[in-house]
Amino acid sequence: MMVEESSLAALLRSQRAAAGLTQEGLADRSGISVRTISDVERGLRKTVYRHTAQRLASALALVGAERDEFEGIARGSARRGPRALAPEKRVLAAPGARVPTPPTTLVGRERELEIVAAALADEDIRLLTLTGPGGVGKTRIAIEAARRAEHHGGTKPRVFFVPLSWTAEPLVGSTVAVAMGVTSTKERIAEAIGEALHLDPALLVLDTFEHVIGAAGFVRELLGRCSRLKILVTSREALRLSGEHEIVVPPLGFHRKDRGSGPEAIRADPAVELFFQRASAVRRDLVIDDASALVLRDICGSLDGLPLAIELAAARVKHLSLEALREMLDMPLRVLVGGPRDLPKRHQTMRDTIAWSYGLLDPDEQSLFRRLSVFAGGWTLDAATALADEGVTAVTLQHMSGLIDKSLVYLASPFQRDVRYSMLDVIREFGLERSEGAGEMGSFRQRHAEFYLSLAEKAEPGLGGAGQGNWFRRLETEHDNLRAALAWLTRTKDTKRALRLAGALWQFWRRQGHFSEGRMWLREALSIDRDKLHAARAKALWGAGWMAFVQGDYEEGEALSAELIQIAREHRAPLDERNGLTILGMILMGRGQFHRAMEPFARALELCWPLGPSWHLATSHLNLGMSKMHAGELKGAKQLITRARRMYQDIGDEHFEARSLGYLGYAALLAGDSRQAESLFVASLEAFRRLEDLQGIAEGLEGLAAVTASNANSQSAATSAHLAGAAQSIRHQLT
């Protein structure tokens, strides 16, 4: 007899709903296209091929007579008869959703598994949620924890694993019931599950819960009905239920600070081990030697230890060398594609994984997420607020919390007074893409640059006085953001702001040893435009000239000094003239022309006197004293340097106070008092070590080497060479 046109359409719709699947979920589980399923349910296809019917029946977990009837109707050879139960009354012959058997080993998660196992063993913990960003490995940890619970320990619970990635929120209850083999009407699902479990211990794993977060009430009811049931949830955000215990799953090795640099230490890193295992599956000849170990460390570091990103990257070694892969990961979302076909679509590429999370945000959270992607290396709440529209401080805090809850943002410094936030690099790149697509990035980058210009100019006067250590640490923490701001200002040819920012930062670069980078940024800013910006340009010229001197480029330093002196005299700016003369004096010193250097140094000191006590006045004393010392005028040199030291003490500049001690050590050594010289160099070195000033540490070691060399014996010569070598090694670190 002919089958009615609507029979298969109605049957497939009802069975899919009973299984708690969307059309996409059924397609993913069965391997049948969404188009085919849609055509059947709309009545456009009255029958399907035999293998299609079999795949659909398997995906719907149909067994026995019910499966036979479904396949018969799907093939057009049977009529839906009285044997077919209503879907919500269906009983599975093989109840329970088995825990999957992963095709690969789990790498580097023993610590997390121990924490999960301990929580599951705790009688007071009944709801445990694993949270973290997409691709961090929550599902994989949950699977392993469930498998261990099944096969190890004393009282083994019945374990049910229920994937929810394709389940619509209203169907969560029926999906769980079907997986557990429980028959029920939709109104009493939790009660029926409780009756079915009775007092038996059970573990229910609900995987990928973030998109059905509104079904948290069903979880609460289920726990209330089933006294010996524990529920393990994986989600990109917590359920926020009473009694919930949350475990945030970090990237691999995310909190490790003790990574070595040798091949063995690098290979021991779990992120590198995961990469090697997955890469070896597609390229059996891959080996880790000294060179490739360093490349692998860079690759895994650029991926923030995110397991999915590492696995996707590892698959590319079939077509790319490790070096080429490392270079291409500057734009990771373009490389991290082509995941295994048996993974859900959202894990086929990193972009799909992050897009899944982004789609779960409300519009305000999406807007804030796009804004935050402009930050490089993290941000504070004040910085985030500066990028928001006026009057939204409270909303920014509220939605920042929302992004943290949904694992797109994390606390980078949760135990410090000034809380700092950040996001993984691949997540940040996705945000940049969305922001560019929305035409917002230009506005965001401008606000970002203005905020960090303000910070740098606020920090600048503090770099030479009391509390300077806090400012140096703050700028070092924000260095990536400062770089991003400079890049934007120079790219958009915002001359004034670029000069102001570079000029405000050069003393920071000098102190931290970022000579080459600082010089590059100063050159970039100075090359944009020279019109009507004498004040900002003068400060940048000062920094660029000093950087040229310290790197031994005396010709460029002399040219920059001449331009700075000319600008200062044209605009009657005595402090700028003092700075230009100081550069000139340092270059003459570098060329060994000590007597000639005294003239510009003396003039610089004269220009500073009328301006009152300052760092410039103290440093002008130090510079003139240093030139006199080299010229052999030891008495005058010692007086000037001693006076400079007192001024540094008064203004609170510990770095230059320590430097003054070192110069006094040289003066004592030249005067023949090696014992006093050694004492002064030791005091200087101890101060620099306490301040973590590498350049100063090198200077102190060089001073002690000079004292030791003055003792005419072979042992002293060896010690001197050792100290000088240590100083040279430190200077090589300074760029």
Side-chain angles (χ1 to χ4, degrees):
M1 185 179 294
M2 295 292 293
V3 178
E4 297 158 342
E5 183 176 331
S6 61
S7 294
L8 178 57
L11 178 59
L12 182 58
R13 277 197 302 272
S14 63
Q15 296 286 19
R16 177 175 59 77
L21 296 171
T22 61
Q23 289 184 349
E24 291 81 3
L26 180 57
D28 184 63
R29 187 179 289 185
S30 66
I32 307 300
S33 71
V34 177
R35 175 66 180 273
T36 296
I37 294 170
S38 175
D39 286 351
V40 170
E41 292 192 0
R42 288 184 295 158
L44 300 180
R45 293 189 60 173
K46 306 178 187 65
T47 61
V48 295
Y49 295 112
R50 173 174 287 123
H51 73 277
T52 301
Q54 291 170 344
R55 286 185 178 183
L56 288 171
S58 296
L60 293 167
L62 302 179
V63 294
E66 190 175 20
R67 181 185 181 106
D68 293 339
E69 185 165 28
F70 178 87
E71 290 184 13
I73 292 175
R75 294 285 295 122
S77 58
R79 177 185 296 276
R80 188 173 185 179
R83 289 181 302 171
L85 297 174
E88 56 270 25
K89 293 292 187 181
R90 174 158 41 90
V91 182
L92 298 183
R98 291 186 177 180
V99 180
T101 301
T104 57
T105 58
L106 182 61
V107 176
R109 290 302 194 184
E110 282 306 317
R111 180 173 179 271
E112 286 79 9
L113 285 169
E114 288 174 3
I115 294 172
V116 172
L120 292 177
D122 189 334
E123 293 183 359
D124 293 331
I125 298 177
R126 299 189 56 215
L127 174 59
L128 183 65
T129 304
L130 305 184
T131 62
V136 80
K138 302 181 295 295
T139 297
R140 189 65 181 81
I141 292 172
I143 288 173
E144 185 63 27
R147 287 171 59 80
R148 293 185 182 187
E150 259 185 332
H151 301 292
H152 302 287
T155 304
K156 297 182 178 66
R158 297 172 61 189
V159 179
F160 305 92
F161 188 93
V162 184
L164 299 173
S165 57
W166 290 111
T167 302
E169 187 176 297
L171 302 176
V172 169
S174 58
T175 300
V176 172
V178 169
M180 299 179 80
V182 175
T183 62
S184 169
T185 62
K186 292 182 180 179
E187 289 74 20
R188 49 190 301 273
I189 292 176
E191 181 182 349
I193 292 175
E195 291 173 355
L197 289 177
H198 193 50
L199 296 178
D200 295 336
L203 172 64
L204 171 62
V205 181
L206 300 177
D207 183 46
T208 315
F209 203 88
E210 60 269 4
H211 70 295
V212 293
I213 204 73
F218 168 74
V219 174
R220 180 181 60 243
E221 184 183 1
L222 200 56
L223 289 169
R225 296 280 186 179
C226 311
S227 61
R228 300 195 66 187
L229 172 68
K230 287 180 178 283
I231 299 180
L232 174 61
V233 177
T234 73
S235 176
R236 299 186 193 186
E237 65 174 306
L239 278 60
R240 299 184 185 177
L241 295 176
S242 299
E244 179 182 24
H245 288 251
E246 181 181 2
I247 296 176
V248 179
V249 178
L252 284 171
F254 194 63
H255 299 302
R256 287 189 57 187
K257 304 297 183 185
D258 58 340
R259 298 177 186 176
S261 57
E264 291 185 4
I266 293 173
R267 174 67 186 268
D269 186 284
V272 174
E273 175 61 21
L274 176 63
F275 184 97
F276 181 74
Q277 285 193 18
R278 301 302 186 257
S280 297
V282 296
R283 187 172 148 190
R284 300 300 301 174
D285 62 340
L286 185 66
V287 296
I288 299 182
D289 55 20
D290 289 7
S292 61
L294 296 174
V295 178
L296 286 179
R297 181 190 63 187
D298 292 344
I299 289 172
C300 294
S302 69
L303 298 173
D304 292 314
L306 199 62
L308 177 61
I310 291 170
E311 297 201 21
L312 292 172
R316 312 314 294 170
V317 302
K318 184 177 181 180
H319 312 104
L320 295 170
S321 68
L322 292 176
E323 292 78 6
L325 177 60
R326 176 174 61 183
E327 293 300 318
M328 292 183 70
L329 284 174
D330 286 341
M331 302 291 286
L333 291 182
R334 299 182 182 180
V335 182
L336 304 179
V337 297
R341 290 190 177 93
D342 57 348
L343 289 178
K345 183 179 183 298
R346 70 181 188 283
H347 283 174
Q348 296 285 325
T349 73
M350 275 308 304
R351 184 178 281 105
D352 288 339
T353 296
I354 302 166
W356 170 275
S357 292
Y358 181 77
L360 298 176
L361 303 177
D362 65 38
D364 287 337
E365 290 173 333
Q366 289 182 345
S367 176
L368 179 59
F369 172 74
R370 295 194 301 271
R371 291 171 190 267
L372 296 177
S373 67
V374 75
F375 290 103
W379 63 89
T380 61
L381 185 59
D382 286 345
T385 302
L387 265 66
D389 296 327
E390 288 188 22
V392 296
T393 305
V395 176
T396 300
L397 177 59
Q398 173 189 342
H399 292 135
M400 186 79 74
S401 299
L403 294 178
I404 293 172
D405 290 342
K406 294 176 175 65
S407 303
L408 288 169
V409 168
Y410 65 88
L411 286 178
S413 57
F415 304 112
Q416 295 181 11
R417 178 180 177 183
D418 296 325
V419 176
R420 191 168 184 81
Y421 307 90
S422 192
M423 62 174 67
L424 301 178
D425 284 346
V426 289
I427 293 177
R428 177 173 179 260
E429 188 191 352
F430 178 88
L432 289 171
E433 284 185 353
R434 289 301 173 102
S435 183
E436 292 281 5
E440 303 165 325
M441 187 49 65
S443 172
F444 293 167
R445 287 201 183 278
Q446 188 63 33
R447 293 188 191 185
H448 175 273
E450 289 171 356
F451 176 83
Y452 285 101
L453 171 60
S454 175
L455 173 66
E457 290 185 330
K458 184 179 179 181
E460 183 185 7
L463 298 178
Q468 60 186 179
N470 291 331
W471 281 117
F472 280 120
R473 285 188 290 272
R474 175 80 182 275
L475 293 181
E476 189 65 56
T477 299
E478 297 290 5
H479 203 180
D480 284 340
N481 279 310
L482 294 165
R483 290 172 174 129
L486 280 163
W488 171 255
L489 293 173
T490 54
R491 185 163 66 248
T492 57
K493 300 190 182 304
D494 190 338
T495 313
K496 185 174 182 179
R497 288 187 175 90
L499 287 170
R500 285 169 56 193
L501 182 52
L505 289 173
W506 84 264
Q507 290 277 21
F508 158 72
W509 288 321
R510 176 200 60 77
R511 154 68 173 81
Q512 301 297 89
H514 302 305
F515 302 141
S516 295
E517 181 178 359
R519 191 177 178 194
M520 180 271 291
W521 286 120
L522 287 159
R523 277 175 163 175
E524 285 277 339
L526 288 166
S527 68
I528 302 173
D529 191 356
R530 300 189 177 200
D531 295 337
K532 301 178 181 179
L533 296 170
H534 58 273
R537 186 170 183 83
K539 190 180 293 184
L541 285 167
W542 179 28
W546 197 94
M547 295 290 188
F549 157 73
V550 80
Q551 292 197 315
D553 191 345
Y554 297 151
E555 289 187 7
E556 181 173 322
E558 195 168 19
L560 292 166
S561 168
E563 182 183 350
L564 176 53
I565 293 170
Q566 179 185 353
I567 290 175
R569 289 173 178 170
E570 287 177 358
H571 296 278
R572 298 180 181 180
L575 195 57
D576 290 336
E577 183 178 354
R578 174 265 174 203
N579 295 337
L581 289 166
T582 299
I583 296 169
L584 177 59
M586 296 301 293
I587 290 171
L588 291 171
M589 289 273 289
R591 289 171 171 164
Q593 300 173 15
F594 306 121
H595 286 89
R596 285 190 60 195
M598 284 192 284
E599 181 180 349
F601 282 148
R603 176 58 183 156
L605 183 56
E606 290 176 9
L607 290 167
C608 280
W609 272 117
L611 303 177
S614 67
W615 180 90
H616 295 84
L617 181 60
T619 306
S620 293
H621 277 83
L622 182 66
N623 292 337
L624 182 57
M626 187 170 52
S627 65
K628 283 181 176 292
M629 180 179 65
H630 282 285
E633 299 181 18
L634 297 183
K635 183 178 180 180
K638 185 176 180 181
Q639 290 175 344
L640 286 163
I641 298 171
T642 301
R643 191 177 300 162
R645 182 192 172 192
R646 292 196 194 103
M647 291 182 181
Y648 289 130
Q649 286 178 322
D650 290 341
I651 64 177
D653 190 333
E654 297 179 87
H655 293 269
F656 269 82
E657 182 188 352
R659 187 156 283 114
S660 300
L661 286 172
Y663 289 138
L664 288 171
Y666 278 112
L669 184 61
L670 290 171
D673 191 343
S674 61
R675 181 172 294 181
Q676 184 184 17
E678 182 178 8
S679 176
L680 288 165
F681 283 131
V682 168
S684 176
L685 180 59
E686 288 178 350
F688 279 130
R689 281 177 172 166
R690 177 172 51 81
L691 296 168
E692 300 180 352
D693 186 329
L694 289 179
Q695 186 179 357
I697 291 171
E699 292 174 7
L701 291 171
E702 288 164 346
L704 288 174
V707 171
T708 309
S710 67
N711 299 321
N713 60 67
S714 58
Q715 183 177 358
S716 296
T719 303
S720 177
H722 178 73
L723 291 168
Q728 188 65 21
S729 176
I730 291 173
R731 289 200 180 276
H732 283 319
Q733 300 177 43
L734 305 176
T735 58

